[in-house]
Amino acid sequence: MLHASPNTFGHSFKVTTFGESHGRAGGAVLDGVKPGLPFDLKAIQLELDRRRPGQSDMASKREERDKVQVLSGIFEGRTTGSPIALIVFNEDQRPGDYQAIKDIFRPGHADMTYSRKYGLRDHLGGGRASGRETLARVAAGAWAKQQLAPLGVAIRSFNREIGGVRCEALDWGFVEKNPLKSCDPNAFPAQREAVEAAMANKDSVGAISEIHISGLPIGLGDPVFSKLDAMLAYACMSIGGVKGVEFGSGFQAARMRGSQHNDPILPSGFSSNNSGGVLGGISNGDVFIVRLAIKPTSSIGAAQKTIDADGVATEIEISGRHDPCIAPRLLPVAEAMCAIAIYDAWLAQQDLAPQSIPSVEDYDWDSIVRVLFNNQLGDKP
Ligand SMILES: Cc1cc2nc3c(=O)[nH]c(=O)nc-3n(C[C@H](O)[C@H](O)[C@H](O)COP(=O)(O)O)c2cc1C
């Protein structure tokens, strides 16, 4: 049986994305939105600007301006309760760039699997499997962030490791000041070298991204199949290029003893955070920590073995505009998917036990702007 909604995420708050890489437009439809909430289009645009390519010499030079527009669901600056449709028209379509690979499957991309599964393939920039689809997620996530900010929830991210070079320090102030979104000024030069060395060899590098979600109350997440960590893993694994998800101590937990891993509970809270902010699939009030393994960019200039649509062996060298590491641009997408999943869990908890959790209608407009702005600067909210 066909999955009911492969293009929709969420239960109480539902986000549907539409659009292909080189289609006329992409966007998101947000349903489950309460009426009467203020709507800030500028905050959504700010998030989209963070995802946009061409922002540094270590990113692709595509000129996509990604101006978001609202089609429905807003009246005189407030939500009406009907679906909000957000749309971004494509302004930098270059179908000619992809002519040479029309009938050749690019290694590391979804070309072969889409083609074999559906019997046809939109070969322009990866079609639906393109990173461009994620702008819809970022727009929807920006709305979810706007709902969470006045409740004290802040979602921030950085790259913990790039090209095999790990950040030991976590300097929030440094994150938005460097093109790789590294969190350690001491590790950054070696990380940049790793990226530049890969570029010089027509190659790419991977990374480990980390997302911190602070201000969560105890109680979000619905065991057993909608556990908070399960929903966040689902949300993050749906992003192209993500090969692994871990929470708190993650895979390191396998090498620890119970006495080391258990987070002691004090009257003031937990004294360590190996759990990553979740116990039994329910938020425990500590900072929620998600780490993602990001694979090296598939589109590389180096020669690679592949096959054409008829299964005949060939070689491919991919030209065009591609980031040597997608992790910096993936961060706003990961934050967005976390925001959507958390907001969804928040609404579910309000239905289950309204008294246990602040209401999303309790707005403090000043704090929304403050938290969003601080996020932008990478400061601690
Ligand atoms: C924001 C974003 C931008 C991306 N940009 C590129 C890119 O420029 N080149 C590339 O090869 N892959 C890029 N990707 C990754 C591909 O979309 C992804 O690797 C591909 O669809 C295959 O999916 P999979 O890696 O999940 O198996 C990007 C992903 C995201 C989230």
Side-chain angles (χ1 to χ4, degrees), residues 48 111 191:
L48 283 173
D111 300 352
Q191 292 171 332

Side-chain angles (χ1 to χ4, degrees), residues 60-74:
S60 87
K61 295 287 181 286
R62 272 166 293 181
E63 279 297 325
E64 298 167 284
R65 277 189 293 142
D66 298 348
K67 285 284 167 236
V68 63
Q69 298 174 40
V70 185
L71 294 183
S72 69
I74 307 297

Side-chain angles (χ1 to χ4, degrees), residues 51 62 108-110 129-131 134 239-241 295 297-299 322-323 326 329-330 333:
R51 195 215 69 99
R62 272 166 293 181
H109 279 282
S130 164
T134 62
I239 304 169
K295 75 183 194 183
T297 316
S298 306
S299 292
H322 299 281
D323 298 350
I326 61 172
R329 290 182 53 223
L330 197 139
V333 183

Side-chain angles (χ1 to χ4, degrees), residues 59-319:
S60 87
K61 295 287 181 286
R62 272 166 293 181
E63 279 297 325
E64 298 167 284
R65 277 189 293 142
D66 298 348
K67 285 284 167 236
V68 63
Q69 298 174 40
V70 185
L71 294 183
S72 69
I74 307 297
F75 184 67
E76 294 181 342
R78 288 191 175 262
T79 58
T80 60
S82 61
I84 300 176
L86 301 171
I87 192 164
V88 176
F89 285 96
N90 283 333
E91 293 178 0
D92 187 33
Q93 295 153 282
R94 299 192 196 181
D97 281 7
Y98 297 94
Q99 206 50 35
I101 54 156
K102 185 169 169 292
D103 297 314
I104 298 179
F105 299 142
R106 296 166 302 167
H109 279 282
D111 300 352
M112 196 268 271
T113 47
Y114 265 59
S115 183
R116 296 283 195 255
K117 178 178 173 72
Y118 298 110
L120 64 122
R121 171 171 78 95
D122 173 353
H123 67 278
L124 303 176
R128 184 77 179 143
S130 164
R132 187 141 181 83
E133 179 268 338
T134 62
L135 69 82
R137 301 163 182 242
V138 173
W143 160 258
K145 274 189 182 181
Q146 280 177 42
Q147 308 319 299
L148 293 168
L151 302 164
V153 178
I155 302 177
R156 303 178 298 160
S157 62
F158 55 86
N159 286 319
R160 171 67 73 182
E161 189 177 306
I162 297 156
V165 182
R166 189 183 149 78
C167 296
E168 297 304 334
L170 168 48
D171 178 346
W172 283 108
F174 183 62
V175 176
E176 290 297 328
K177 292 189 191 126
N178 73 88
L180 296 175
K181 310 295 179 221
S182 163
C183 63
D184 184 352
N186 295 320
F188 175 69
Q191 292 171 332
R192 185 171 54 192
E193 252 172 56
V195 173
E196 286 170 351
M199 281 169 88
N201 288 308
K202 299 183 176 177
D203 213 337
S204 60
V205 297
I208 296 176
S209 300
E210 197 165 309
I211 302 110
H212 287 207
I213 306 167
S214 57
L216 288 184
I218 299 174
L220 299 191
D222 294 281
V224 288
F225 294 117
S226 297
K227 287 177 167 180
L228 198 60
D229 40 358
M231 292 311 292
L232 273 126
Y234 174 25
C236 290
M237 281 303 301
S238 73
I239 304 169
V242 173
K243 295 305 286 182
V245 181
E246 62 175 26
F247 299 92
S249 57
F251 275 70
Q252 190 59 26
R255 300 178 200 114
M256 296 167 84
R257 293 200 167 166
S259 55
Q260 296 171 299
H261 192 268
N262 293 344
D263 301 314
I265 311 175
L266 311 177
S268 55
F270 296 96
S271 63
S272 60
N273 190 7
N274 288 311
S275 73
V278 63
L279 288 169
I282 299 172
S283 59
N284 66 7
D286 214 333
V287 178
F288 204 98
I289 297 175
V290 188
R291 237 169 273 111
L292 305 177
I294 314 296
K295 75 183 194 183
T297 316
S298 306
S299 292
I300 53 172
Q304 301 173 83
K305 283 191 196 338
T306 187
I307 55 168
D308 66 17
D310 297 321
V312 177
T314 182
E315 275 213 344
I316 186 169
E317 291 173 23
I318 298 173
S319 57

